[in-house]
Amino acid sequence: MSLELNEQFQKVINGLTEKFPGDVIDVYQSTGDTFVRVTPGAIHDVCTYLKEEQHFIYLIDVFGTDRFTSEDRFEVVYNILSLRDRLRLFVKVWLPEEDPEIASVTGIWECADWFERQTYDMFGIRFTGHPDFRRIYMPEDFEYFPMRKEFPLLGIPGSIELPSSTPDPE
């Protein structure tokens, strides 16, 4: 991997590729940010290493995307920050369309709790080992995931009872 990284980032990437040689799939830069794609099975160990050894102590966000491809349809992105070194890193994993599932990182960063619940609620990506895994926005019995690309723009008629749009007569 030949990227033009600053010295601090190069140490982080070298440490990752040495510690997880078969799990680091891709490293690239885009719009001034650095991205590392890893295998889904290694996400918990990679995040633990990044927090404990590389001082990425601040999890800014976890979010999902629907790549809408036939293979590895979903993506989970972890936006992390090293306050000490002033570095931002995006760690990504790709997941299959059928049974998208990945280990929770709430044991590493407690703030991942609601991020992971939101990602499940919108995309249907399950986080194993999550301490309170339930829907956060949609009703528990809602069978759909609104941010998936096949979800209709106007929603699914009758799936959720909506309030009346006509004013009450007084």
Side-chain angles (χ1 to χ4, degrees):
M1 297 178 205
S2 60
L3 288 176
E4 292 295 322
L5 297 173
N6 70 34
E7 188 176 323
Q8 289 174 310
F9 254 129
Q10 194 61 57
K11 287 179 184 177
V12 172
I13 300 305
N14 289 345
L16 272 175
T17 54
E18 288 170 16
K19 183 120 174 118
F20 306 97
D23 294 314
V24 176
I25 298 170
D26 192 16
V27 178
Y28 64 94
Q29 287 188 309
S30 177
T31 63
D33 290 311
T34 303
F35 297 82
V36 176
R37 187 163 69 93
V38 301
T39 59
I43 193 63
H44 194 273
D45 293 339
V46 166
C47 288
T48 299
Y49 168 79
L50 287 169
K51 182 180 181 187
E52 293 177 1
E53 302 294 325
Q54 299 292 343
H55 304 283
F56 284 88
I57 61 168
Y58 184 29
L59 175 68
I60 297 170
D61 198 8
V62 176
F63 57 92
T65 62
D66 184 347
R67 300 176 57 241
F68 208 55
T69 60
S70 59
E71 189 174 316
D72 295 328
R73 176 176 174 178
F74 297 106
E75 179 174 66
V76 178
V77 182
Y78 302 82
N79 178 2
I80 59 177
L81 186 66
S82 169
L83 298 170
R84 182 190 72 179
D85 299 327
R86 296 182 180 187
L87 299 175
R88 176 189 307 268
L89 182 65
F90 292 90
V91 180
K92 303 167 102 177
V93 295
W94 289 357
L95 300 170
E97 180 174 4
E98 295 299 318
D99 298 321
E101 186 175 86
I102 192 162
S104 173
V105 296
T106 54
I108 303 166
W109 298 287
E110 285 185 40
C111 65
D113 181 3
W114 282 28
F115 298 146
E116 291 178 352
R117 287 176 59 194
Q118 175 184 345
T119 302
Y120 169 72
D121 216 9
M122 296 293 113
F123 293 96
I125 298 168
R126 288 180 310 286
F127 292 85
T128 59
H130 190 283
D132 185 21
F133 199 61
R134 58 192 163 101
R135 294 196 93 145
I136 195 167
Y137 298 121
M138 308 306 291
E140 282 294 327
D141 60 346
F142 193 67
E143 300 174 6
Y144 310 100
F145 303 103
M147 293 299 288
R148 288 188 175 188
K149 299 257 174 135
E150 76 272 5
F151 191 81
L153 290 177
L154 297 177
I156 297 173
S159 64
I160 295 180
E161 187 175 327
L162 299 175
S164 173
S165 60
T166 57
D168 290 333
E170 292 185 24

